[in-house]
Amino acid sequence: MITFRISGRFSEKSEIICGVGAFDALPPRAAEGAFVFTDENVQSLYGETIRSRFPDAPVYAMRAGEAYKTPETLFALLGEMARAGVRRTGRLICIGGGVVGDIGGLASALYMRGIECVQVPTTLLAQVDSSVGGKTAVDFCGVKNLIGAFKQPAKVLVDPVFLKTLPDREVRCGLGEIVKHAALDAALFDKLSANREKLFDPDFLAGIVPENIAIKSEVVKADPHEKDLRKCLNLGHTTGHAFELLDGKLSHGEYVLTGILFEAELAKRYTDCDEAYLEALKALARSALGRTPALPPAREAAEFARLDKKNGAGGRVTVTAPVEKGEYVLLDIPYEEYVRALAEIQEKLC
Ligand SMILES: NC(=O)c1ccc[n+]([C@@H]2O[C@H](COP(=O)([O-])OP(=O)(O)OC[C@H]3O[C@@H](n4cnc5c(N)ncnc54)[C@H](O)[C@@H]3O)[C@@H](O)[C@H]2O)c1
Ligand SMILES: [Zn+2]
C-alpha cells in the first residue's frame, strides 16, 4: 500500500491510500456517523461490498452520468443527509467516478459549512485525476463545473479492485489523463511505451495508478492555488477541449488523446523538439485511442480554444506542448495562425 499526503488551499491535509485493500483501510470507527453517496451503476455492481463495509450507513445513489451533475442532484443529496440526521462530526463517503466525487465533495463542503469527506474513486479517471486536488463542482446554466469549491477530502482510498468492471470506454477516459501524465514524466512514458498492448489490462493499470497519483499530487502540492505550474496539466486539453465543446460526440479521454496528437504536431512546427520522441508519444496516444476518431473541421474547433478563459487572451491561444521526454513548453500562438496550423495538421493526421 502506498500513501501520499497533500495539503489544500487552506492547509487542510489529505491522505491518499493506494493499493489492493485500500477500500478497507478506514478504521471501523470511521463507519460511525457515515453517509454513503454513490451512483446507481456502482451500487448495482458493488452494493453488497458497500453494505458489508458500512452496514449502518444510509446510502444515496444518484442516477449515473454527467447529465445528473446538477444542483438538483446536489440538493437531493443534501436533503437525504439532513433527513438522515448527519451531524457536524459525521463523514460523507463518496464511492464512484468523477461525477460522484465532484458532487459529493461539494456537498461535504456545504453541509453544516463543511464536514469530513472520504473519496473512494472507482473509475480510472477518478483514481488518477479527479480525486486528487480537492476541486469539486456541479454543472449549471449549461456551463460545466460553474458552481464549485475547493475541498480536500480527509482521505482518498484508491483500490484497484474497482478497475476490473470498467468498460473500455471508461478506461479510455482515464488513459487520456495517463498519456498526458506520461508526456510530463519520462519514467512513466517509458513504461507505457514498452507496454502499449497492455493499456486496457486492469492488472497493468493497477500498477501504474500510484505513479499517476504521484505526478498529479506533486503538481497540486507545488501549485495549490492554480497559478502557473498547473498549466502543465492542460497538455492535450487546449485543442482537445476545443473539439469537445464543438462536437461532444466522443468521450473526454478521446478528445484529450486527439489533442495530444495535434499539440505534438504544433510542437514540431514551433519548437526545436525531439521529433522521434514526439512520434513515439503519438504512437502511444493512438494505441490508447484504438481508432482514428471522426472529427469536425479543426477551423471551427479553434474558435472554442480562443474563447476558453484558460487559453485565449489578446487574440492568442496558449498551448502546453510536449517537446522532449518529460518536458513541455507553453506556446503562445496568434489565433489566426493557430487556426491555419490546426487545419493543416488535421489534413495530415486524419
Ligand atoms: N475534480 C477534478 O479535479 C476533476 C478532474 C477531472 C474530471 N473531473 C470530473 O469527473 C467527471 C468524469 O468522471 P468519470 O469519467 O469518472 O465519470 P462518471 O463518474 O460519470 O463515471 C463514468 C461511468 O462509469 C460508471 N462506473 C463508475 N465506477 C465503475 C466501475 N468500477 N465499474 C463499472 N462502471 C463504473 C459510472 O456509473 C458512470 O456510468 C466529469 O464530471 C469531470 O468534470 C473532475
Ligand atoms: Zn481532462
Side-chain angles (χ1 to χ4, degrees):
M1 208 91 81
I2 302 174
T3 302
F4 302 89
R5 289 191 171 77
I6 49 181
S7 311
R9 261 197 171 181
F10 305 107
S11 45
E12 328 93 303
K13 298 271 181 283
S14 186
E15 190 175 53
I16 305 172
I17 300 168
C18 185
V20 176
F23 186 44
D24 298 317
L26 283 181
R29 65 176 164 72
E32 288 166 25
F35 186 102
V36 172
F37 176 49
T38 185
D39 74 23
E40 289 175 351
N41 292 342
V42 176
Q43 192 180 38
S44 70
L45 289 164
Y46 296 101
E48 280 306 315
T49 316
I50 294 172
R51 252 188 302 283
S52 65
R53 186 69 190 77
F54 299 100
D56 302 319
V59 178
Y60 178 60
M62 65 174 282
R63 297 189 66 187
E66 184 74 26
Y68 299 97
K69 192 175 148 183
T70 58
E72 287 73 21
T73 307
L74 171 70
F75 279 95
L77 167 61
L78 290 168
E80 292 293 328
M81 290 165 68
R83 279 186 284 281
V86 174
R87 294 165 183 248
R88 176 76 190 82
T89 50
R91 58 184 60 74
L92 184 61
I93 317 276
C94 309
I95 308 173
V99 168
V100 162
D102 275 13
I103 301 174
L106 183 54
S108 73
L110 294 173
Y111 190 80
M112 293 188 170
R113 300 197 184 90
I115 64 166
E116 199 174 284
C117 172
V118 173
Q119 293 281 359
V120 184
T122 62
T123 61
L124 185 61
L125 179 121
Q127 296 199 346
V128 299
D129 189 4
S130 64
S131 66
V132 184
K135 288 212 260 180
T136 75
V138 291
D139 305 337
F140 188 53
C141 285
V143 182
K144 226 174 123 53
N145 300 329
L146 189 64
I147 301 175
F150 279 87
K151 163 84 170 156
Q152 284 294 347
K155 286 195 194 306
V156 185
L157 310 177
V158 183
D159 198 320
V161 70
F162 296 108
L163 300 179
K164 297 204 186 290
T165 51
L166 270 189
D168 279 359
R169 182 185 155 88
E170 301 307 335
V171 172
R172 197 168 283 117
C173 272
L175 285 176
E177 309 305 331
I178 287 173
V179 174
K180 172 186 83 178
H181 289 159
L184 304 172
D185 184 278
L188 180 61
F189 174 79
D190 286 341
K191 193 183 271 188
L192 293 185
S193 291
N195 291 283
R196 272 173 27 205
E197 73 294 349
K198 294 192 190 151
L199 290 180
F200 290 82
D201 170 350
D203 293 327
F204 175 71
L205 293 171
I208 58 163
V209 163
E211 277 145 285
N212 279 276
I213 294 174
I215 292 165
K216 179 148 188 207
S217 47
E218 278 306 310
V219 176
V220 172
K221 250 192 236 176
D223 187 11
H225 300 270
E226 288 211 75
K227 296 261 165 40
D228 283 339
L229 187 58
R230 271 210 203 187
K231 287 200 177 124
C232 70
L233 299 177
N234 243 2
L235 198 145
H237 280 65
T238 301
T239 309
H241 197 222
F243 277 114
E244 186 171 5
L245 286 172
L246 171 66
D247 188 36
K249 295 194 182 78
L250 312 173
S251 71
H252 176 68
E254 286 173 297
Y255 288 115
V256 173
L257 291 163
T258 305
I260 291 172
L261 294 177
F262 274 80
E263 292 178 2
E265 289 296 324
L266 287 173
K268 283 194 200 168
R269 283 176 178 236
Y270 294 108
T271 69
D272 182 18
C273 57
D274 177 346
E275 296 213 3
Y277 158 70
L278 289 177
E279 284 306 313
L281 179 64
K282 280 167 55 192
L284 181 58
R286 283 191 194 283
S287 302
L289 268 170
R291 64 190 165 100
T292 305
L295 293 170
R299 201 171 279 285
E300 291 170 31
E303 174 68 9
F304 286 90
R306 191 171 65 100
L307 295 176
D308 186 334
K309 63 183 181 330
K310 274 193 198 152
N311 323 307
R316 303 174 82 83
V317 175
T318 307
V319 171
T320 307
V323 282
E324 281 183 39
K325 233 190 235 187
E327 287 185 26
Y328 66 92
V329 293
L330 296 182
L331 291 177
D332 210 16
I333 309 171
Y335 174 65
E336 291 304 331
E337 214 175 306
Y338 177 73
V339 175
R340 242 191 338 269
L342 282 200
E344 286 168 19
I345 292 169
Q346 187 165 35
E347 277 202 4
K348 182 175 159 192
L349 284 178
C350 304

